[in-house]
Amino acid sequence: MIYEVFRQERKGQAFQHAGSIGAPNLEFAEVYAREQYGRRQESTALWLVPRDAIDELDDFVDELGRTYHRVDGYSLKAKLKEARERAAARSG
Amino acid sequence: MSEDEFLEYVQGGGQVETRDWMPDEYRAKLIKFIEMHGNSELMGVLPEREWILRAPTLQRKLALTAKVQDEVGHAQLIYRVVEDLGKPREACLDDLVSGRAKFHNVFHYPTKTWGDVGVIAWLVDAAAIISQKALLKCSYAPYARIMKKICWEESFHILHGRDVVLTLMNGTDEQRELVQEALTRWWGPLMQFHGNPIPREDDPMFVWRIKSQGNEEARQQFLDGYVPQIWELGLEVPDPKLRKRDDGVWEYTEPDWDELRYVVTGHGPRTADRLDLRRRARERSAWVRQVVLAEAA
């Protein structure tokens, strides 16, 4: 069995994929994972997930170029400059 | 994606995951390169293992044991990567113990004194970490990712080696002589370690961006980083031609490439003994694997 290992470096942080280990069952996987990813106190917690249980989606295509729901869809610099100039002209 | 497009992709810094399409040639080169790295980690513990029981203090025994554990752990991680590329670990081990597969030249030599332990942990590991850091940018992403953990652990090994060397250098004349004698013996293999200076464009491992630097670049980086550290301790490097030119390039006596070829093809002074030890250990532990796998089934 292949187990994917995710480790949390410090409390409060997100778990990150660290690597995989091969083990005949979960009991052995726990021992191996402790040795590989925890023996120097470099992790506060580990998640072990059988590789088969992972469902990967990787088909994220932005066919319509929908920038309106992202920050890069809003470049305000030119508009802000114009608005400031207009405001200055109105008060001046 | 065609093979040419793939090549262009990796040469432009693109990275590849296990389940992505890849040319057969690329997969074959990856397996060959990564498997040799795994073999070297596994065989690399044997020269040091010989000194665990003879280490001068309990602290040194513990540190050496920890280092051996790290290297075996690296071998496990690396064989896992090879396995995902299609070659099972058992097949790698079969090829290793039968002498069909290669491992790094430096692990074919004897460790005669405690001075060797210091020189290996300091300078052999320094040479290795230069190659390994260049693998952080490997086009095969799963390998590049585990290299992060490996480099992190190697940095402790270099410090441990330097500590052993400094302790000896601050000791008696006899202790200093141990280091000098070991350095003199190890210099040849160290200079051969990064391989012959073929232009990187002619090196298939660079062309596929498995490695991100050429052999000579790695050797120059090693010389530049470590020769000044060796000299400042009053140690002598056994190469009268060794010097840094004004343009920053190190000149040195041509390493013995025939020796390198001869040693890595299985004719080193300790090759047969160490492969034999590995073979016997594997046979002796076969029953453990059988019991564990049967119980888990």
Side-chain angles (χ1 to χ4, degrees), chain B:
Chain B
M1 202 186 258
S2 71
E3 194 167 318
D4 285 344
E5 283 166 343
F6 181 90
L7 200 57
E8 202 180 313
Y9 172 71
V10 292
Q11 290 183 351
Q15 286 192 303
V16 183
E17 293 290 342
T18 311
R19 283 182 296 172
D20 293 346
W21 178 83
M22 60 184 86
D24 291 344
E25 172 74 6
Y26 177 72
R27 185 184 296 275
K29 284 280 184 300
L30 274 178
I31 290 176
K32 189 176 166 211
F33 187 91
I34 304 174
E35 181 184 357
M36 182 187 166
H37 186 180
N39 294 341
S40 299
E41 297 279 2
L42 194 58
M43 295 306 287
V45 303
L46 297 183
E48 296 183 298
R49 164 194 169 277
E50 296 170 13
W51 279 92
I52 292 177
L53 292 177
R54 289 182 282 172
T57 66
L58 178 60
Q59 166 80 13
R60 293 291 191 220
K61 283 186 217 294
L62 290 170
L64 209 52
T65 311
K67 187 175 179 233
V68 164
Q69 186 188 20
D70 286 355
E71 312 285 17
V72 174
H74 299 167
Q76 280 179 338
L77 292 174
I78 291 167
Y79 285 138
R80 212 38 303 296
V81 173
V82 177
E83 223 160 28
D84 282 347
L85 284 165
K87 182 165 182 178
R89 183 168 72 184
E90 286 303 306
C92 295
L93 293 173
D94 284 343
D95 286 349
L96 177 66
V97 297
S98 67
R100 278 193 298 273
K102 286 185 183 161
F103 56 98
H104 264 305
N105 72 317
V106 284
F107 305 125
H108 294 257
Y109 291 88
T111 32
K112 291 189 173 153
T113 74
W114 179 247
D116 291 53
V117 176
V119 169
I120 292 172
W122 181 30
L123 296 176
V124 171
D125 279 42
I129 207 169
I130 286 169
S131 306
Q132 290 176 343
K133 277 199 171 145
L135 295 170
L136 292 168
K137 287 181 275 183
C138 178
S139 57
Y140 187 59
Y143 187 42
R145 285 195 292 263
I146 61 159
M147 212 49 65
K148 248 168 78 177
K149 172 177 159 62
I150 291 177
C151 286
W152 178 67
E153 291 183 357
E154 293 287 353
S155 46
F156 137 71
H157 301 170
I158 294 185
L159 276 185
H160 154 252
R162 218 172 162 207
D163 191 63
V164 169
V165 167
L166 289 177
T167 305
L168 291 171
M169 292 308 287
N170 291 339
T172 62
D173 285 348
E174 208 183 341
Q175 286 175 306
R176 275 186 288 277
E177 186 47 40
L178 276 185
V179 181
Q180 180 62 62
E181 194 270 331
L183 175 66
T184 304
R185 269 186 294 110
W186 282 95
W187 191 251
L190 274 169
M191 289 299 284
Q192 297 158 14
F193 182 83
H194 290 110
N196 64 342
I198 51 166
R200 59 187 206 173
E201 289 70 25
D202 297 340
D203 184 343
M205 297 304 176
F206 179 78
V207 172
W208 291 110
R209 293 301 187 274
I210 295 169
K211 299 198 301 194
S212 64
Q213 67 182 2
N215 293 349
E216 186 56 22
E217 281 170 86
R219 186 163 28 249
Q220 287 289 330
Q221 211 183 317
F222 171 72
L223 292 169
D224 213 40
Y226 291 89
V227 171
Q229 291 188 30
I230 294 169
W231 280 344
E232 75 176 354
L233 300 180
L235 289 164
E236 228 171 278
V237 178
D239 180 356
K241 281 199 193 158
L242 185 70
R243 72 176 189 104
K244 191 178 183 175
R245 292 198 319 234
D246 292 342
D247 62 359
V249 177
W250 287 85
E251 279 180 5
Y252 52 84
T253 304
E254 190 70 16
D256 187 345
W257 303 123
D258 290 336
E259 178 183 334
L260 177 64
R261 249 186 312 275
Y262 190 66
V263 162
V264 296
T265 49
H267 307 95
R270 281 289 183 274
T271 316
D273 286 353
R274 294 205 175 122
L275 284 179
D276 190 48
L277 180 66
R278 185 55 76 207
R279 198 177 301 121
R280 279 184 288 131
R282 195 161 171 241
E283 283 164 11
R284 272 204 309 268
S285 60
W287 69 271
V288 180
R289 286 188 293 280
Q290 279 164 11
V291 169
V292 165
L293 289 173
E295 274 204 0

